[in-house]
Amino acid sequence: MDTDRMASPQSSRMASPQSSRMASPQSSRMASPQSSRMATPQSSRMASPQSSRMASPQSSRMATPQSSRHSSSVSSSPMSRMHSLQVDSVQRWMEDLRHMTEVECMCVLQAKPIGVEEDTQGELIVATGDHVARNNLQTLLRRALVVSTELGKMFQRLEKGRWQRVHSTAVRANCHVRSLVHEYSAARNTPAEMQKYEKSLLEKCMELTTITERCLHTEDEFFLKSMREAIHEILTDVSDSFSHMIDMALANEIQILIRQIESSDSVYTIGSAISNLLSLTQDGPQLCRIIAKEGAVVALFKICRQDCFSDLYAHALRTVASICCVEEGINQLEKVDGILCLADILTDENSAEAARAEAAAVVAQITSPHHTSTQHLGSFLESMQDIVTALIKLCESASCGEVFLLASAALANITFFDSMACEILLQLNAIHILLQSCKDRQRVDTPYSKDQVVTILANLSVLEQSSSEVLQEKGIERLLQLLGEKPSSSSPSEGAACERVQQKAAVTLARLSRDPDVAQTAIQLRAVPRLIELCRSPAERNNSDSVLVACLAALRRLAAGCPDSIEAADHQQLIKPRLVDSFLLCSNMEESFV
């Protein structure tokens, strides 16, 4: 196995699919490999499910049974139930009816509102206050989830042929759709195109209700079979139309936020609009695509180019990084020369550390190996010298672990796509800076940060001149410490981060051991027993096959230079056979040294 292949950066800031910008124990911004604000091979800023700052939940707008963004019901405690008994029963019924209309009410009242308070016109009405736009968007998503859930139930019940429930669900879905459309239309001057979709959707919902009712009055299997196919087709059409209408409604709301950013001179108003956009980016890549399409990235970079809004730079850049979890966001960044703006902020010593850290996060996002398109990297290479220099300085001066994590993750990604970045880092004394940082628990305080450091070292170790610098900085001792990295909690993301640290430490050791001096130093520091322990004990490597392969490769590299360093029994099992045979032997081995 070729140990000289580049190790994946595993930037943990982005996120997933589930969420935070980064979800490490000490930093709520950085995420696990599958989460995070940065979309690196095992993580993402946006992308992350396990991340608290970005998470990457699936958009709840789609009409699927799995939609689960918001719960449509809240369980009540005994005390609250007792309290509800003291409330006027008719008023209570009217309040509940606004959220879950019964079939009988739908038939009699035709989805018309029963009662409206004097000061309100419905859930989606825009009122004054900074929280209103966010409330409107969240209400829209919540109502969309209710409809999506009903449509999902219809698909399931249709497959089972439960015609009574199919019809009742169709009536409920029709009610919810009409209620949502009517209330949203009352709250907004909806565009003509959206009105056309609304009208078409309402007609299809009524058709669905009518056709399902016909199935209640017959037991003809042939007729029901043909109707099942027709209903399935109409239901699919309704689901697609509803999803498209919700996307249009969300785009309309997003346009309002972007206009606030572009037209307002108030820092408070702009900051509130940016917060609302950032909140929306947590709802999945589909919503990020809509935000990017509506021009949010362009508006945010306009803010970052005005000195009067310098206090908003960090907030705006954090939102940009979240949007750039999708290709559409990166394309928008490229169109407005966003990379040049990032370089200016990173290299400006007067910029606040928070702003430079957020700029580093955007760099980490757009350089993620997860992105299939690399067209944006052309303009990035033009500014790479300045960006790399600024990032390593930020690592050296970072005041906390989160800042170091963002800067080092950006560097880790950059070292993947151009060897010139590694040469620049060597000239900037990066090995010394990174290894010294590992001694400072204020900066390198989690496995996620160590993951970035060892990724950079692994990529630098490809260059021959790196060996002498690692020896000079006592880097072999540090690599052996990283081989013993263990999670401090039962968190799966932390366990995965520790696996990556062990794997990359072994890869780095194998690459550096091409130098006889490095190999001799590693043997003197008892690297061989630790590597053997990782190979033979699955628990030591958290049952990771990737760690096993890397350790076997490192052992074979050391054995090639110093055959006497390995005992005969270990040589017979771990060195002499083919790599795949040793791997199979160790991967099936019980946790025993006998």
Side-chain angles (χ1 to χ4, degrees), residues 1-8 454-455 457-459 461-462 479 483 500-514 531 546-547 549-554 557:
M1 180 163 302
D2 185 4
T3 63
D4 293 337
R5 292 183 60 191
M6 292 303 223
S8 97
V454 74
T455 296
L457 293 176
N459 290 340
S461 64
V462 174
L479 289 174
L483 282 174
R500 297 196 303 272
V501 170
Q502 289 181 325
Q503 177 202 4
K504 294 172 188 176
V507 169
T508 306
L509 184 61
R511 291 175 177 176
L512 293 172
S513 294
R514 293 172 301 186
L531 291 170
S546 59
V547 175
V549 171
C551 289
L552 285 171
R557 182 61 59 86

Side-chain angles (χ1 to χ4, degrees), residues 190-197:
T190 53
E193 183 181 1
M194 185 173 171
Q195 292 178 10
K196 180 182 69 175
Y197 264 92

